[in-house]
Amino acid sequence: MLLSCGDALIDFLASRTADGREALTPAVGGSCLNIAIGSARLDIPTGFVGGISTDTFGRMIADHAAGSGVDLSRATRSDRQATLAFARVTGTETQYAFYDAETASRNWTYRREAVALDGVTCLHTGSTTLVHDRGAAETLAFIEDARSTVTISLDPNCRPNLVRDKDAYRARMLAFCGKADVVKMSDVDFAYLFGDEAYAARAEALLSNGVSLVVVTRGNDGASAWHRQAGPIEVASPVVNVVDTIGAGDSFQAALLAALHRLDRIARQRLRGISAAELTRALSFACKCAAFTCTRAGADPPRSRELPAGTW
């Protein structure tokens, strides 16, 4: 089973009414929840760990996740309000305004007795959960308990508008990278954390520090990856008619982890021995799923049955 630990929220997406007025449409989101949903829709047993409200929006989140096949038995329900995020697309990037003070997601507490690890092969985390001191500390405690037997996946999914001290945040992300086996980030995340540093140079530094697989996604330009044994890999992204890019990175990560699971390369030792051909197949599948997500509004990753024949 894959577990995804972190944020679950409601995105409000910009739209227009029939008479042309601006409107906001609520949609379930949150990077870590999106990844759980994306993986479950690809027929991988998946659970979500984090805080989900019992309010109207929280019920919307829970219903959506359960409807996609995500196991919520390890999630924590509380009467704190749900996190809300207002999304606005600028060019090819989506910018967010977050309302998350004292919310169920932000106040999640790791309880060892409530998060069984039997049968868990991979734990994914990242995004807004790691911005705040409490969320980062609780997630780190979870990782420390899990990493002796479980592969750790990380996507920083940076949200600069939430960061108050960039140097401290960057140091925190590097510390979490040091605990991870798989590190994936977008080119925008990379630029925020590492500036003009060459992708390959940073990837080599992460690999030498214990990471097995480093991936940088580059939108229309596909994805680049580095692996200790398989070496550098480049894959292209399919050309599609883009509706928006919300959730594309999450869909990529969900599909990558799902592909590694299907290839029986998700366990730490098995991941270390992956071949270049296997890794290329996994990354190509992830790019195809991300591109598919871009063809419809909001974070709406594909189900296996929706993908064209031959995608896998």
Side-chain angles (χ1 to χ4, degrees):
M1 171 177 272
L2 164 69
L3 289 183
S4 188
C5 174
D7 51 338
L9 51 81
I10 296 293
D11 283 323
F12 282 86
L13 309 179
S15 60
R16 288 194 177 274
T17 62
D19 59 1
R21 290 180 297 169
E22 291 188 3
L24 293 169
T25 302
V28 175
S31 178
C32 294
L33 184 70
N34 289 342
I35 287 169
I37 288 170
S39 177
R41 288 184 177 185
L42 295 172
D43 306 318
I44 305 301
T46 306
F48 175 76
V49 181
I52 300 177
S53 178
T54 55
D55 68 10
T56 298
F57 290 127
R59 292 193 296 273
M60 184 176 169
I61 291 168
D63 290 347
H64 181 71
S68 293
V70 178
D71 180 355
L72 296 179
S73 62
R74 297 170 178 83
T76 302
R77 303 299 299 273
S78 77
D79 60 4
R80 293 179 181 273
Q81 69 183 31
T83 299
L84 307 179
F86 293 81
R88 184 181 186 191
V89 178
T90 303
T92 60
E93 294 299 320
T94 305
Q95 299 176 341
Y96 293 89
F98 290 91
Y99 294 81
D100 71 339
E102 302 304 318
T103 61
S105 183
R106 183 165 174 176
N107 284 273
W108 170 75
T109 300
Y110 169 54
R111 294 178 293 129
R112 182 177 290 108
E113 71 280 1
V115 188
L117 291 172
D118 295 343
V120 175
T121 55
C122 180
L123 168 63
H124 174 82
T125 192
S127 195
T128 60
T129 304
L130 305 186
V131 172
H132 306 294
D133 292 345
R134 178 174 178 174
E138 298 292 339
T139 305
L140 181 59
F142 187 13
I143 288 174
E144 293 291 6
D145 278 354
R147 68 192 299 259
S148 62
T149 59
V150 174
T151 298
I152 306 300
S153 164
L154 173 71
D155 179 1
N157 194 36
C158 304
R159 294 290 179 252
N161 58 322
L162 295 179
V163 175
R164 297 293 175 261
D165 183 335
K166 183 177 179 179
D167 289 340
Y169 174 75
R170 182 177 183 276
R172 176 178 288 169
M173 290 305 98
L174 285 172
F176 272 92
C177 286
K179 306 290 184 182
D181 301 287
V182 178
V183 174
K184 172 263 178 187
M185 66 189 85
S186 70
D187 50 0
V188 176
D189 293 335
F190 188 98
Y192 181 70
L193 292 172
F194 305 116
D196 294 330
E197 184 175 352
Y199 294 152
R202 175 52 57 178
E204 289 300 326
L206 292 173
L207 293 177
S208 67
N209 197 37
V211 178
S212 290
L213 174 62
V214 179
V215 181
V216 177
T217 57
R218 297 179 289 113
N220 292 335
D221 294 324
S224 303
W226 295 263
H227 183 271
R228 295 188 210 178
Q229 178 170 304
I233 303 286
E234 296 280 342
V235 295
S237 179
V239 177
V240 296
N241 292 321
V242 176
V243 174
D244 69 41
T245 60
I246 295 173
D250 301 331
S251 182
F252 179 99
Q253 185 69 358
L256 174 61
L257 296 177
L260 294 175
H261 186 281
R262 290 182 179 184
L263 292 167
D264 191 26
R265 291 293 186 181
I266 195 70
R268 181 172 292 122
Q269 290 302 322
R270 297 283 298 161
L271 177 62
R272 289 173 178 170
I274 195 170
S275 69
E278 290 173 317
L279 184 53
T280 299
R281 184 181 184 188
L283 292 164
S284 295
F285 179 67
C287 281
K288 291 172 184 176
C289 289
F292 184 97
T293 302
C294 291
T295 65
R296 51 194 188 187
D300 191 9
R303 299 176 187 272
S304 291
R305 64 177 181 269
E306 294 179 299
L307 295 169
T311 299
W312 172 242

